Protein backbone atom coordinates (compact mmCIF):
# COMPACT_ATOMS: atom_id res chain seq x y z
CA UNK A 1 0.00 0.00 0.00
CA UNK A 2 1.50 3.29 -1.03
CA UNK A 3 0.51 6.74 0.11
CA UNK A 4 -0.59 9.23 -2.45
CA UNK A 5 2.01 11.98 -2.92
CA UNK A 6 1.33 14.91 -0.65
CA UNK A 7 -1.07 12.98 1.58
CA UNK A 8 1.34 11.40 4.14
CA UNK A 9 0.96 12.24 7.85
CA UNK A 10 4.33 14.05 7.93
CA UNK A 11 3.43 16.27 4.99
CA UNK A 12 -0.02 17.01 6.44
CA UNK A 13 1.59 18.04 9.74
CA UNK A 14 4.13 20.23 7.98
CA UNK A 15 1.38 21.88 5.95
CA UNK A 16 -0.64 22.51 9.12
CA UNK A 17 2.35 24.04 10.96
CA UNK A 18 3.25 26.37 8.11
CA UNK A 19 -0.28 27.12 6.99
CA UNK A 20 -1.27 30.76 6.95
CA UNK A 21 -3.80 31.54 9.66
CA UNK A 22 -7.24 32.67 8.78
CA UNK A 23 -6.78 36.38 8.15
CA UNK A 24 -10.24 37.18 9.49
CA UNK A 25 -9.48 35.68 12.94
CA UNK A 26 -7.46 37.84 15.38
CA UNK A 27 -3.86 36.67 15.65
CA UNK A 28 -3.61 37.29 19.43
CA UNK A 29 -6.56 36.84 21.74
CA UNK A 30 -6.83 38.76 25.00
CA UNK A 31 -6.34 35.55 27.00
CA UNK A 32 -3.20 34.67 25.07
CA UNK A 33 -1.71 38.14 25.66
CA UNK A 34 -2.61 37.99 29.37
CA UNK A 35 -0.98 34.57 29.71
CA UNK A 36 2.21 35.79 28.02
CA UNK A 37 2.39 38.91 30.23
CA UNK A 38 1.74 36.92 33.42
CA UNK A 39 4.22 34.21 32.47
CA UNK A 40 6.91 36.74 31.63
CA UNK A 41 6.29 38.64 34.88
CA UNK A 42 6.52 35.47 36.96
CA UNK A 43 9.72 34.42 35.17
CA UNK A 44 11.32 37.84 35.84
CA UNK A 45 10.24 37.75 39.49
CA UNK A 46 11.76 34.30 39.98
CA UNK A 47 14.96 35.38 38.26
CA UNK A 48 15.15 38.55 40.38
CA UNK A 49 14.53 36.62 43.60
CA UNK A 50 17.24 34.11 42.72
CA UNK A 51 19.79 36.75 41.73
CA UNK A 52 19.01 39.18 44.58
CA UNK A 53 19.61 36.44 47.14
CA UNK A 54 23.30 36.54 46.17
CA UNK A 55 23.84 39.96 44.54
CA UNK A 56 22.60 43.53 44.75
CA UNK A 57 23.34 46.72 42.89
CA UNK A 58 25.36 49.40 44.69
CA UNK A 59 25.29 53.02 43.56
CA UNK A 60 27.62 55.82 44.68
CA UNK A 61 25.29 58.70 45.57
CA UNK A 62 27.87 61.41 46.31
CA UNK A 63 28.76 63.83 43.53
CA UNK A 64 32.45 63.09 44.16
CA UNK A 65 32.98 59.56 45.38
CA UNK A 66 36.02 57.81 46.82
CA UNK A 67 36.46 55.54 43.80
CA UNK A 68 36.32 56.28 40.06
CA UNK A 69 33.23 54.08 39.58
CA UNK A 70 29.60 54.84 40.45
CA UNK A 71 27.94 51.44 40.02
CA UNK A 72 28.86 48.15 41.69
CA UNK A 73 27.53 44.63 41.98
CA UNK A 74 27.87 43.62 45.63
CA UNK A 75 27.54 40.17 47.14
CA UNK A 76 24.93 39.87 49.89
CA UNK A 77 27.12 37.69 52.10
CA UNK A 78 30.38 38.55 53.86
CA UNK A 79 33.35 36.98 52.07
CA UNK A 80 35.18 34.07 53.69
CA UNK A 81 38.54 35.66 52.94
CA UNK A 82 39.52 39.26 52.35
CA UNK A 83 42.32 40.03 49.92
CA UNK A 84 44.47 43.12 49.69
CA UNK A 85 43.86 45.21 46.55
CA UNK A 86 40.21 44.21 46.01
CA UNK A 87 37.08 46.28 46.60
CA UNK A 88 34.70 45.40 49.42
CA UNK A 89 31.60 46.89 50.96
CA UNK A 90 31.65 47.57 54.68
CA UNK A 91 29.25 49.15 57.13
CA UNK A 92 30.50 52.31 58.81
CA UNK A 93 30.97 52.23 62.55
CA UNK A 94 32.70 54.87 64.64
CA UNK A 95 34.37 56.77 61.78
CA UNK A 96 34.32 60.56 62.16
CA UNK A 97 31.81 62.42 59.96
CA UNK A 98 30.17 59.18 58.72
CA UNK A 99 26.93 58.06 60.41
CA UNK A 100 27.04 54.48 61.67
CA UNK A 101 25.33 51.92 59.42
CA UNK A 102 26.18 53.53 56.07
CA UNK A 103 27.34 51.03 53.40
CA UNK A 104 30.62 52.10 51.82
CA UNK A 105 32.75 50.55 49.06
CA UNK A 106 36.53 50.97 49.19
CA UNK A 107 39.72 49.07 48.42
CA UNK A 108 41.18 46.93 51.17
CA UNK A 109 44.69 48.34 50.95
CA UNK A 110 46.25 46.67 53.99
CA UNK A 111 45.52 43.47 55.91
CA UNK A 112 46.81 42.24 59.30
CA UNK A 113 50.62 42.28 59.40
CA UNK A 114 51.05 45.05 56.78
CA UNK A 115 53.18 48.08 57.72
CA UNK A 116 51.35 51.41 57.33
CA UNK A 117 52.95 54.86 57.44
CA UNK A 118 50.86 58.04 57.31
CA UNK A 119 52.75 61.36 57.25
CA UNK A 120 52.67 64.76 55.52
CA UNK A 121 53.53 63.09 52.19
CA UNK A 122 50.54 60.73 52.37
CA UNK A 123 50.04 57.04 53.08
CA UNK A 124 52.41 54.17 52.28
CA UNK A 125 51.72 50.48 52.77
CA UNK A 126 54.65 48.06 53.01
CA UNK A 127 56.92 50.79 51.61
CA UNK A 128 54.69 51.43 48.60
CA UNK A 129 53.09 54.88 48.28
CA UNK A 130 49.28 54.73 48.01
CA UNK A 131 48.30 58.40 47.85
CA UNK A 132 48.63 61.87 49.37
CA UNK A 133 46.72 63.55 52.15
CA UNK A 134 44.22 66.19 51.05
CA UNK A 135 44.24 69.58 52.80
CA UNK A 136 40.50 70.13 52.19
CA UNK A 137 39.66 66.67 53.54
CA UNK A 138 41.77 67.32 56.64
CA UNK A 139 39.97 70.64 57.12
CA UNK A 140 36.51 69.04 56.74
CA UNK A 141 37.49 66.36 59.25
CA UNK A 142 38.79 69.02 61.70
CA UNK A 143 42.19 67.30 61.71
CA UNK A 144 45.79 68.29 61.30
CA UNK A 145 48.65 66.44 59.65
CA UNK A 146 50.10 65.80 63.12
CA UNK A 147 46.86 64.12 64.25
CA UNK A 148 46.82 61.67 61.32
CA UNK A 149 50.57 60.95 61.31
CA UNK A 150 51.02 57.28 62.26
CA UNK A 151 53.43 54.40 61.83
CA UNK A 152 51.93 51.01 62.70
CA UNK A 153 51.44 47.38 61.75
CA UNK A 154 47.81 46.46 61.03
CA UNK A 155 46.64 44.38 64.00
CA UNK A 156 44.76 41.07 63.70
CA UNK A 157 41.09 41.51 62.83
CA UNK A 158 41.64 44.98 61.32
CA UNK A 159 41.79 46.30 57.73
CA UNK A 160 42.92 49.55 56.14
CA UNK A 161 40.34 50.72 53.59
CA UNK A 162 41.23 53.41 51.07
CA UNK A 163 39.75 55.27 48.14
CA UNK A 164 41.60 56.53 45.08
CA UNK A 165 40.20 60.00 44.46
CA UNK A 166 41.68 63.16 46.05
CA UNK A 167 38.55 63.80 48.17
CA UNK A 168 38.35 60.32 49.70
CA UNK A 169 37.62 60.10 53.44
CA UNK A 170 39.24 56.86 54.52
CA UNK A 171 41.61 54.98 56.84
CA UNK A 172 44.51 57.36 56.16
CA UNK A 173 42.62 59.89 58.30
CA UNK A 174 40.86 57.76 60.93
CA UNK A 175 42.68 54.42 61.00
CA UNK A 176 41.76 50.80 60.33
CA UNK A 177 38.28 49.28 60.49
CA UNK A 178 37.24 46.03 62.10
CA UNK A 179 37.18 43.05 59.71
CA UNK A 180 33.66 42.21 60.93
CA UNK A 181 32.35 45.41 59.33
CA UNK A 182 32.94 43.96 55.84
CA UNK A 183 29.64 42.59 54.57
CA UNK A 184 30.21 41.99 50.85
CA UNK A 185 32.62 41.84 47.93
CA UNK A 186 32.11 44.69 45.45
CA UNK A 187 32.74 44.46 41.69
CA UNK A 188 32.76 47.75 39.78
CA UNK A 189 30.60 48.06 36.68
CA UNK A 190 31.22 51.63 35.45
Amino acid sequence: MTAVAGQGPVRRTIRRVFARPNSSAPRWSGIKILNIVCGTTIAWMLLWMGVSHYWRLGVELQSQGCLPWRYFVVTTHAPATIERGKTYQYQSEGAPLIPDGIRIVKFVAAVPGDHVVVNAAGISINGRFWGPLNADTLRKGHMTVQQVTKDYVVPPGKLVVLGTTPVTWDSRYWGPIDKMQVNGRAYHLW
Side-chain angles (χ1 to χ4, degrees):
M1 174 175 193
T2 58
V4 179
Q7 297 299 319
V10 173
R11 288 186 184 227
R12 278 194 306 266
T13 303
I14 290 173
R15 243 187 270 128
R16 237 182 284 136
V17 168
F18 291 105
R20 290 178 45 124
N22 182 351
S23 61
S24 63
R27 185 174 177 108
W28 297 94
S29 68
I31 296 295
K32 193 174 195 178
I33 292 172
L34 182 62
N35 285 338
I36 290 171
V37 169
C38 289
T40 304
T41 303
I42 290 169
W44 276 109
M45 287 173 56
L46 291 172
L47 178 66
W48 177 255
M49 287 171 35
V51 168
S52 67
H53 182 71
Y54 298 101
W55 305 91
R56 68 176 163 260
L57 182 64
V59 180
E60 171 63 65
L61 298 176
Q62 297 181 29
S63 60
Q64 285 188 307
C66 297
L67 297 172
W69 311 288
R70 294 191 65 84
Y71 299 95
F72 301 87
V73 173
V74 182
T75 62
T76 58
H77 300 85
T81 58
I82 297 175
E83 299 175 52
R84 180 188 314 107
K86 302 209 174 182
T87 50
Y88 293 89
Q89 177 182 272
Y90 68 95
Q91 196 152 328
S92 65
E93 187 179 301
L97 303 179
I98 303 173
D100 287 352
I102 301 292
R103 294 180 188 155
I104 301 168
V105 173
K106 290 199 187 333
F107 279 101
V108 169
V111 296
D114 286 346
H115 181 227
V116 177
V117 176
V118 182
N119 55 32
I123 184 168
S124 296
I125 298 164
N126 296 328
R128 187 169 162 232
F129 185 72
W130 179 276
L133 296 178
N134 182 293
D136 289 335
T137 304
L138 281 169
R139 209 172 9 265
K140 286 179 188 175
H142 310 291
M143 297 177 163
T144 65
V145 172
Q146 292 76 23
Q147 289 173 311
V148 299
T149 298
K150 300 174 185 88
D151 186 338
Y152 63 95
V153 173
V154 180
K158 299 289 185 178
L159 302 166
V160 172
V161 291
L162 298 173
T164 58
T165 63
V167 297
T168 186
W169 179 244
D170 56 24
S171 288
R172 75 187 85 194
Y173 301 104
W174 36 262
I177 66 166
D178 192 275
K179 182 179 178 180
M180 299 306 290
Q181 290 175 249
V182 174
N183 56 18
R185 172 81 165 87
Y187 301 89
H188 68 272
L189 296 174
W190 65 89

